[in-house]
């Protein structure tokens, strides 16, 4: 099989994007280079450039300056209008806030994943043949980027994705998860036993860990812990085994081990570029928690509408329901693009935070797993790390938050629209560690929801898995499918193009899904 391939020097980043047949069948927006390379020309020198493209596209970011990697619209639609809206990290003002799949938005992330991220990763793997350490790192990244897609859609093309064929079969969620654990086991075994400290072929283009063997190994084990919790309701025994193995092998414990993609003028942070320019605003759910807890991250993330006054927009409002009512925007100096429109070039992109591991370990400890500490200490350490990540390190302020007894509050919008259905505040617990296990689980879920922000793909999966009441139901729904209504969406539907170009495979995927192709069908691991 031949892979068309082109590269171009892009200043600080050399992005390599391959063009090959995938399950989407839509390649109109990718230009073919008459001087494209073939598979036998993919030598080790191209592993790094290919990996760079797989990293950036694998976190659903794009840039006009990166040929073939698209623009910031992919993040804005695949992440902003979908997962970030579903879990109330922001209010986008589009129909998706009422649980509707409109304008084919469900297809943007799918298209870019299978026409950019997947081919780039395959090229990196081909170019890395014979390099055990590079292959191990690429296996870890494969798990990460496919995990987001399988948790969003359910069964997807996996084993044969990018096989150059017009028709590509779908694999079940269960099968893909089994392979995830296998790949992570293999990667850890390689990286734990090597004397190599830096993967030289990837290092110059690795904008996450600069080819660090140890940091990629720790990332892989942290990912294994995440996936173990994901299957904890479906297969508790295997979840325990995998979680304990991950912690024993070493997961992230400090913020300098957290995974960020280092932004640049060539590979900008798409969230920072567009949240304010696209009109995204704070939600009532975020306001209720952050204001009620007197959370010091509030002013880091959002801007007040007046001195000390924040107002979140309830997700699910009807079009123009709130007229010209002002809502809190994102803090332009930290989460936006700044007055000079350059913050997106310096604000690194959150991929996986160390704080999540402590909160996951806290939940694992409540499950009776050996997590290397007790649940309360792990919970509080996770909070400390998250606060420190956002520059909040004053011990007095940090301790006051951790021991806080205040509760989430009614949203400010009720002062303007007092009859809105927002009286039943979802979170009814303080930050301070509670006495009962049931309450402790909810507290962990709330703090993980905050710690993962703004990386909404994982936050959405974790809320579906835990079923913790953290956010308000949407005010109104445009989706009356069973299991949807005003509740949290369970998945993204398959794309229209897949039905037209890969119909038999999609239909088989729906069989493996175990329910109709709607936003209300639970995934294999979502048992509650």
């Amino acid at each position: 099989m031949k892979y068309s391939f082109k590269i171009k020097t892009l200043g600080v980043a050399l992005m390599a994007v391959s063009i090959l047949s995938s399950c989407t069948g839509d390649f109109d927006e990718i230009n073919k280079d008459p001087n494209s390379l073939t598979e036998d020309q993919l030598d080790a020198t191209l592993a790094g450039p290919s990996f760079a493209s797989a990293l950036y596209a694998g976190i659903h970011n794009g840039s006009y300056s990166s040929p073939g990697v698209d623009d910031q619209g992919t993040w804005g639609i695949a992440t902003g209008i979908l997962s970030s809206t579903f879990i109330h990290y922001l209010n986008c003002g589009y129909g998706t806030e009422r649980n509707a799949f409109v304008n084919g938005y469900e297809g943007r992330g799918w298209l870019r994943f299978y026409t950019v991220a997947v081919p780039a990763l395959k090229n990196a793997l081909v170019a890395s043949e014979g390099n055990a350490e590079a292959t191990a790192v690429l296996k870890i990244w494969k798990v990460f980027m496919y995990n987001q897609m399988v948790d969003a859609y359910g069964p997807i093309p996996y084993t044969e994705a990018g096989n150059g064929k017009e028709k590509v079969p779908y694999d079940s969620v269960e099968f893909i998860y089994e392979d995830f654990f296998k790949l992570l086991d293999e990667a850890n075994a390689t990286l734990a036993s090597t004397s190599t400290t830096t993967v030289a072929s990837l290092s110059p283009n690795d904008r996450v860990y600069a080819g660090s063997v140890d940091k990629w190994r720790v990332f892989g084990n942290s990912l294994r812990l995440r996936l173990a919790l994901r299957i904890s309701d479906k297969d508790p025994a295997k979840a325990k085994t995998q979680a304990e193995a991950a912690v024993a092998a070493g997961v992230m414990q400090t913020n300098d081990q957290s995974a960020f993609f280092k932004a640049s003028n060539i590979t900008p942070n798409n969230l920072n570029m567009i949240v304010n320019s696209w009109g995204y605003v704070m939600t009532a759910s975020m306001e209720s928690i952050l204001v009620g807890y007197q959370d010091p991250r509030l002013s880091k993330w959002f801007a007040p509408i007046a001195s000390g006054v924040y107002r979140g927009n309830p997700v699910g409002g009807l079009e123009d329901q709130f007229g010209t009512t002002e809502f809190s925007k994102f803090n332009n100096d930290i989460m936006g693009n700044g007055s000079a429109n350059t913050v997106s070039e310096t604000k690194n992109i959150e991929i996986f935070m160390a704080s999540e591991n402590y909160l996951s370990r806290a939940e694992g400890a409540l499950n009776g797993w050996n997590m290397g500490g007790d649940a309360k200490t792990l919970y509080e350490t996770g909070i400390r790390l998250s606060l420190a990540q956002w520059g909040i390190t004053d011990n007095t302020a940090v301790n006051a938050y951790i021991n806080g007894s205040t509760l989430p509050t009614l949203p400010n919008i009720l002062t303007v629209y007092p009859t809105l259905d927002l009286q039943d505040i979802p979170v009814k617990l303080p930050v301070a560690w509670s006495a009962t296990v049931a309450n402790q689980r909810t507290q962990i879920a709330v703090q993980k929801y905050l710690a993962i922000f703004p990386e909404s793909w994982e936050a959405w999966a974790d809320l579906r898995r835990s079923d913790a009441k953290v956010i308000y139901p949407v005010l109104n729904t445009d989706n009356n499918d069973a299991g949807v209504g005003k509740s949290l969406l369970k998945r993204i539907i398959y794309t229209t193009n897949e039905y037209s170009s890969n119909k038999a495979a999609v239909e088989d995927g729906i069989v493996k899904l175990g329910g109709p192709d709607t936003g209300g069908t639970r995934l294999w691991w979502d048992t509650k």
Side-chain angles (χ1 to χ4, degrees), residues 42 194 215 286 295 364 419 435 442 444 482 487 494:
L42 283 170
T194 184
K215 287 188 175 181
M286 288 290 276
D295 196 308
T419 61
T442 299
I444 291 169
S487 65
Y494 293 126

Side-chain angles (χ1 to χ4, degrees), residues 401-415:
Y401 180 77
I402 289 175
N403 296 304
S405 60
T406 59
L407 299 175
T409 186
L410 289 171
N412 178 279
I413 187 66
L414 288 171
T415 64

Side-chain angles (χ1 to χ4, degrees), residues 119-139:
L121 181 68
K122 288 181 71 69
N123 279 343
L125 284 165
V126 171
S128 297
E129 287 181 1
N131 185 330
E133 291 81 10
T135 299
V137 169
L138 294 171
K139 286 179 179 179

Side-chain angles (χ1 to χ4, degrees), residues 129-447:
E129 287 181 1
N131 185 330
E133 291 81 10
T135 299
V137 169
L138 294 171
K139 286 179 179 179
I140 292 169
W141 190 246
K142 177 180 180 177
V143 173
F144 176 86
M145 70 182 209
Y146 270 103
N147 176 235
Q148 291 192 332
M149 295 297 287
V150 71
D151 283 352
Y153 291 89
I156 57 172
Y158 175 72
T159 304
E160 295 189 45
N163 63 5
K165 299 178 182 177
E166 184 178 352
K167 311 298 182 183
V168 185
Y170 284 46
D171 291 303
S172 71
V173 176
E174 181 178 10
F175 172 86
I176 294 172
Y177 261 76
E178 185 67 27
D179 196 59
F180 284 166
F181 287 120
K182 175 176 175 290
L183 291 175
L184 292 175
D185 284 340
E186 293 170 352
N188 181 68
T190 297
L191 298 181
S193 61
T194 184
S195 59
T196 299
T197 59
T198 303
V199 184
S201 62
L202 303 181
S203 177
N205 304 96
D206 178 2
R207 301 189 65 81
V208 180
Y209 287 135
S212 169
V213 166
D214 186 62
K215 287 188 175 181
W216 274 113
R217 181 186 62 81
V218 169
F219 179 96
N221 288 320
S222 301
L223 184 54
R224 191 199 311 212
L225 175 61
R226 173 187 282 184
L227 301 185
L229 267 181
R230 188 87 83 248
I231 67 168
S232 58
D233 290 333
K234 185 68 177 182
D235 192 342
K238 183 168 186 175
K240 178 177 186 294
T241 298
Q242 289 292 338
E244 291 182 343
V247 172
V251 297
M252 297 175 192
Q253 299 185 56
T254 60
N255 280 337
D256 67 356
Q257 293 176 313
S258 294
F260 294 89
F261 183 95
K262 295 175 177 59
S264 73
N265 63 328
I266 302 300
T267 53
N269 185 323
N270 287 181
L271 180 152
N272 283 73
M273 291 179 74
I274 70 173
V275 285
N276 286 334
S277 63
W278 280 33
Y280 294 157
V281 296
M282 179 186 193
T283 67
S285 293
M286 288 290 276
E287 177 203 340
S288 173
I289 298 170
L290 294 171
V291 172
Y293 282 167
Q294 300 169 28
D295 196 308
R297 290 167 292 194
L298 171 62
S299 61
K300 302 284 185 178
W301 296 344
F302 300 103
I305 59 171
S307 180
V309 179
Y310 293 83
R311 181 183 293 147
N313 192 334
V315 175
L318 299 175
E319 187 173 352
D320 297 325
Q321 180 174 352
F322 303 117
T324 59
T325 302
E326 184 180 4
F327 295 102
S328 290
K329 297 180 179 180
F330 283 76
N331 181 340
N332 200 43
D333 292 332
I334 297 176
M335 302 302 296
N337 208 12
S339 58
N341 291 320
T342 57
V343 176
S344 63
E345 299 175 5
T346 58
K347 167 67 170 57
N348 295 330
I349 304 168
E350 295 84 357
I351 297 176
F352 198 133
M353 302 299 101
S355 55
E356 177 190 333
N357 280 321
Y358 280 95
L359 295 163
S360 294
R361 290 167 64 192
E363 183 177 353
L366 294 182
N367 293 343
W369 303 347
N370 182 0
M371 295 286 97
D374 64 276
K376 180 176 184 291
T377 301
L378 293 167
Y379 168 78
E380 294 179 350
T381 304
I383 295 173
R384 291 181 189 279
L385 281 183
S386 180
L387 295 177
Q389 175 193 331
W390 295 99
I392 303 155
T393 57
D394 178 78
N395 282 333
T396 300
V398 171
N399 289 333
Y401 180 77
I402 289 175
N403 296 304
S405 60
T406 59
L407 299 175
T409 186
L410 289 171
N412 178 279
I413 187 66
L414 288 171
T415 64
V416 185
Y417 296 88
T419 61
L420 290 175
D421 187 14
L422 298 171
Q423 298 294 333
D424 186 13
I425 300 171
V427 179
K428 300 176 174 63
L429 297 168
V431 176
W433 191 241
S434 297
T436 68
V437 170
N439 285 347
Q440 292 164 3
R441 289 186 185 278
T442 299
Q443 290 177 309
I444 291 169
V446 172
Q447 289 302 321

